[in-house]
Amino acid sequence: MSTLKSNFWTYVKEYAIMIVGLLLYTGGWTVFLMPNNLISGGVTGISSIIQYATGGVIKAGYSYFVINAILLVIGFWVIGKGFGGKTIFAVAFVSAALVFLPEWIPYEIIDTLAIKNGKLMSVIMGGIMAGVGIGMSISQGGSTGGTDIIALVYTKYRNVSPGKVILALDVVILLSSLLVPSYVKVGDSLELMPFADKITTVVYGLILVTVCSYAIDMYISGSRQSVQLFILSKKYAEIADVITHELHRGVTVLDGKGWYTQHPTEVLLVVTRKSDLNLLLRYIKAIDSEAFLSVSSVNGVYGKGFDTIKLKKRTKS
């Protein structure tokens, strides 16, 4: 029964973090990027181009949903079980948020935060929010779909890294905006954006892709950072049981000897995520407040519950 409760609250936590991340992602687009007619790569970039070209008649959320639905069908058909419920949930959530958030957020807030601060500041702030939001979703096993589906389909038949495919698609999407008319709101009317401004928008788009990618990498690398603990305690068995059953982490018991006392002692070796460290320390303090601990950061932890070893395949010459 406790296992079922644990699984339930784990799912609740994962989806709660995903929702916060997706709200950050759509909030970045709604507050900072779309009001400044900025574009980016991916399906959101395509959807924003369609919205600007139609003067807001076709909202980004609608085209985002339709394009992702088509890509998901292709992904299921070509790749198979590569997409789970979290991806479908994320696509539906982002689609709805892109439609309703612009109506819920007062224009005064958008004007103060985004329009009056200029496009460069909006690119930075919107890129950070979108990148952190995507990173939060990915860290919980979710995905916003989009061009990564195309990349996976393409790399199934071609020996090219998905990252290169996604980058190439982003560049194509940004450059394609030069061929599509864009309308900007001036007062109560819509005016065609000059071609010179469209070139500037593409440059801002390249900066946005860079900022967003960097924010994603920073968040994911931070959330996956691991720590190694050596724990010395007379109540080592109780601590080991708590780590195993409550935190679901492995524990190795090492035989040691205190050189000053010449007494044998047991040392617990634990490797866990940095995000779990505070909870682990609270458990240890509750069991034995006099326990001796050594905590150090580690790089490259591979195995069950951590990262998978990935080796590049050698190409035959």
Side-chain angles (χ1 to χ4, degrees):
M1 191 70 179
S2 61
T3 304
L4 292 176
K5 289 183 178 179
S6 177
N7 290 337
F8 172 76
W9 287 113
T10 299
Y11 282 121
V12 170
K13 176 186 174 184
E14 289 175 351
Y15 276 91
I17 293 174
M18 276 186 62
I19 289 173
V20 173
L22 296 174
L23 283 174
L24 276 175
Y25 176 72
T26 52
W29 273 96
T30 302
V31 175
F32 292 100
L33 303 179
M34 287 184 178
N36 284 292
N37 280 72
L38 294 168
I39 57 175
S40 179
V43 173
T44 314
I46 299 174
S47 302
S48 63
I49 293 173
I50 295 174
Q51 177 171 307
Y52 305 150
T54 59
V57 175
I58 301 178
K59 293 185 177 181
Y62 297 133
S63 54
Y64 180 90
F65 180 80
V66 171
I67 295 171
N68 268 297
I70 295 172
L71 291 176
L72 284 171
V73 171
I74 295 173
F76 277 117
W77 180 48
V78 177
I79 300 175
K81 55 178 182 179
F83 308 98
K86 289 182 179 178
T87 298
I88 298 174
F89 170 80
V91 169
F93 188 95
V94 171
S95 300
L98 288 175
V99 172
F100 295 110
L101 273 185
E103 299 178 2
W104 294 343
I105 300 176
Y107 178 77
E108 292 75 14
I109 294 177
I110 297 175
D111 184 57
T112 302
L113 295 178
I115 297 176
K116 289 183 178 178
N117 283 324
K119 289 189 176 182
L120 182 59
M121 182 59 68
S122 296
V123 164
I124 295 173
M125 294 301 299
I128 292 174
M129 286 182 64
V132 172
I134 294 174
M136 293 176 70
S137 179
I138 292 175
S139 68
Q140 302 305 311
S143 169
T144 54
T147 52
D148 55 345
I149 299 176
I150 301 176
L152 291 173
V153 172
Y154 186 82
T155 54
K156 182 178 180 180
Y157 303 102
R158 296 288 187 273
N159 188 23
V160 182
S161 67
K164 291 182 179 179
V165 177
I166 293 173
L167 178 60
L169 289 171
D170 287 345
V171 173
V172 170
I173 292 168
L174 289 171
L175 293 178
S176 67
S177 66
L178 296 173
L179 306 175
V180 181
S182 296
Y183 292 91
V184 293
K185 191 173 183 180
V186 180
D188 295 330
S189 61
L190 294 174
E191 294 185 4
L192 188 65
M193 180 185 290
F195 188 77
D197 292 346
K198 292 174 69 67
I199 295 176
T200 305
T201 302
V202 171
V203 175
Y204 280 128
L206 294 172
I207 299 173
L208 176 59
V209 169
T210 304
V211 173
C212 186
S213 300
Y214 184 76
I216 293 172
D217 291 340
M218 288 295 292
Y219 183 89
I220 292 178
S221 62
S223 64
R224 289 181 177 177
Q225 189 174 355
S226 300
V227 292
Q228 178 177 275
L229 293 87
F230 287 103
I231 306 168
L232 288 85
S233 171
K234 294 180 180 178
K235 299 180 180 180
Y236 71 93
E238 295 179 45
I239 295 174
D241 286 339
V242 167
I243 295 172
T244 302
H245 300 300
E246 299 296 332
L247 294 177
H248 305 289
R249 288 296 182 188
V251 182
T252 301
V253 181
L254 307 175
D255 292 327
K257 182 178 182 181
W259 194 250
Y260 179 77
T261 61
Q262 295 295 309
H263 291 161
T265 184
E266 284 73 23
V267 181
L268 302 181
L269 170 62
V270 183
V271 178
T272 187
R273 296 293 189 193
K274 191 175 182 179
S275 57
D276 297 329
L277 179 59
N278 288 333
L279 180 60
L280 174 57
L281 293 178
R282 286 201 295 269
Y283 276 129
I284 295 173
K285 184 178 179 180
I287 296 172
D288 184 3
S289 60
E290 296 183 355
F292 181 83
L293 295 93
S294 172
V295 182
S296 59
S297 297
V298 294
N299 295 318
V301 181
Y302 303 99
K304 187 176 181 180
F306 293 92
D307 296 328
T308 303
I309 298 176
K310 297 179 180 179
L311 300 175
K312 291 184 178 179
K313 294 182 180 180
R314 293 183 177 180
T315 57
K316 296 180 180 180
S317 56

